[in-house]
Amino acid sequence: YDNQGKYAMALEQYEKGLAIKVKALGEDHPDVADTYNNIASVYAKQGKDEMALEQYGKSLAIDIKALGEDHPDVADTYNNIASVYAKQGKDEMA
């Protein structure tokens, strides 16, 4: 749904998946972080930057805790956060 521009449906599915993953794997699992990242991406595409940054922050915190600061997934999330700031014209934060 995300790639089709059906953002409300995408968010609904991601939220369902998130609930299942949290229940099965726990809040601090990298798969949970991936879902937060996906949710953030949808918000970013909708121009809901603050909501996107909030979800990216959750993803980042989980990945740093679970995988360490130097993991490629952590770098990807930093890049996603930077993209939001760049879109906002906040180049110093990007």
Side-chain angles (χ1 to χ4, degrees), residues 33 58-71 74 78:
K58 290 178 182 181
S59 174
L60 184 64
I62 293 167
D63 277 344
I64 288 173
K65 183 176 179 180
L67 304 172
E69 183 75 36
D70 296 327
H71 193 276
V74 171
Y78 278 127

Side-chain angles (χ1 to χ4, degrees), residues 17-90:
L18 179 63
I20 292 167
K21 286 181 181 182
V22 167
K23 184 176 180 181
L25 303 171
E27 181 69 35
D28 294 330
H29 194 278
D31 287 353
V32 171
D34 288 343
T35 303
Y36 280 127
N37 209 336
N38 291 337
I39 292 169
S41 174
V42 173
Y43 284 138
K45 290 175 185 174
Q46 292 179 306
K48 297 178 179 179
D49 295 342
E50 294 309 312
M51 293 174 78
L53 290 170
E54 180 182 335
Q55 299 301 309
Y56 283 137
K58 290 178 182 181
S59 174
L60 184 64
I62 293 167
D63 277 344
I64 288 173
K65 183 176 179 180
L67 304 172
E69 183 75 36
D70 296 327
H71 193 276
D73 287 357
V74 171
D76 288 342
T77 303
Y78 278 127
N79 287 337
N80 293 337
I81 292 169
S83 293
V84 173
Y85 285 134
K87 184 176 76 170
Q88 293 177 328
K90 297 179 180 176

